[in-house]
Amino acid sequence: MTSPDRNRPNPPASIVFRPARPTDGAALWQLVRATGTLEANSAYAYVLLATDFADTCLVAERGGALVGAVIGYHPPREPDTAFVWQVGVRPDCQGQGLGLRLLRHWQALPAQAGRRWVTATVAEDNAASQALFRRFAHALGAGCQVHPHFPAELFPAGHAAEPLYRIGPIPHAALVPG
Ligand SMILES: CC(C)(COP(=O)(O)OP(=O)(O)OC[C@H]1O[C@@H](n2cnc3c(N)ncnc32)[C@H](O)[C@@H]1OP(=O)(O)O)[C@@H](O)C(=O)NCCC(=O)NCCS
């Protein structure tokens, strides 16, 4: 007898969002390299971030594999702000709303309590990232201001300028992901 389920495709595994832990470091490094756009730092840097900054780093897993991440920290001189250092989605998972979900879950982490502003620098030639942060601000019902921040001259030749995106103030009602 044939099982009625045999010809049905398996439903895609759901995505789990959770704070990072030290054992994520190597996978974070691989994810960043796989995006092809993000500037990859050393594997050591990602182990360090997933350890000392674990409360402000978020990973998304599907079927036990890392499919996206937000690496962030709290700027020492800005007690009301959380900074997104890198956000990346595995190439085969891009364009499906995961980037926005990542930022919303990251912004709702317990460690972000009281942080009414989110900042990030976005390279002038990164259209996907620009669209993502504007979409994130819209989803929160918050403003999004863009200011000059890191001009191209601060970087080695060939690196685009990185203006600062400042999103907020984040309404209290927006603190839980939709
Ligand atoms: C930037 C990135 C994280 C976006 O993730 P994603 O899952 O593809 O984004 P989403 O599907 O959630 O889309 C969010 C918004 O950005 C827009 N967007 C996504 N990719 C885009 C692209 N290539 N060009 C223009 N807009 C784009 C979407 O249309 C959506 O806006 P909308 O809802 O108004 O239509 C992903 O493209 C990525 O990992 N890129 C490489 C790494 C990188 O550049 N990171 C950012 C610098 S730190």
Side-chain angles (χ1 to χ4, degrees):
M1 197 168 108
T2 311
S3 157
D5 290 337
R6 184 165 289 176
N7 296 322
R8 284 193 202 148
N10 290 328
S14 57
I15 294 178
V16 175
F17 298 88
R18 62 166 175 81
R21 42 189 182 233
T23 48
D24 293 319
L28 282 168
W29 179 70
Q30 282 166 341
L31 173 78
V32 164
R33 285 157 49 103
T35 66
T37 310
L38 289 172
E39 208 168 315
N41 297 273
S42 68
Y44 180 92
Y46 294 99
V47 172
L48 185 88
L49 287 156
T51 303
D52 288 351
F53 295 84
D55 293 346
T56 53
C57 293
L58 181 91
V59 302
E61 279 182 329
R62 192 171 61 196
L66 208 83
V67 291
V70 182
I71 298 170
Y73 69 90
H74 291 160
R77 287 185 287 274
E78 297 174 68
D80 58 354
T81 301
F83 181 76
V84 177
W85 179 44
Q86 290 188 313
V87 50
V89 169
R90 208 172 68 183
D92 60 308
C93 300
Q94 291 178 7
Q96 300 164 33
L98 179 54
L100 178 61
R101 291 178 72 198
L102 272 164
L103 286 179
R104 296 222 54 187
H105 281 267
W106 173 81
Q107 176 265 329
L109 284 170
Q112 313 286 34
R115 305 274 157 172
R116 304 290 309 283
W117 298 86
V118 169
T119 53
T121 70
V122 179
E124 281 182 341
D125 56 1
N126 193 337
S129 189
Q130 291 164 10
L132 173 64
F133 281 101
R134 290 192 187 283
R135 183 71 183 82
F136 175 52
H138 181 75
L140 293 174
C144 178
Q145 298 171 337
V146 182
H147 304 285
H149 192 63
F150 293 145
E153 303 80 68
L154 289 185
F155 299 105
H159 195 300
E162 296 255 358
L164 185 78
Y165 282 55
R166 189 161 191 263
I167 293 167
I170 298 168
H172 287 294
L175 293 181
V176 177

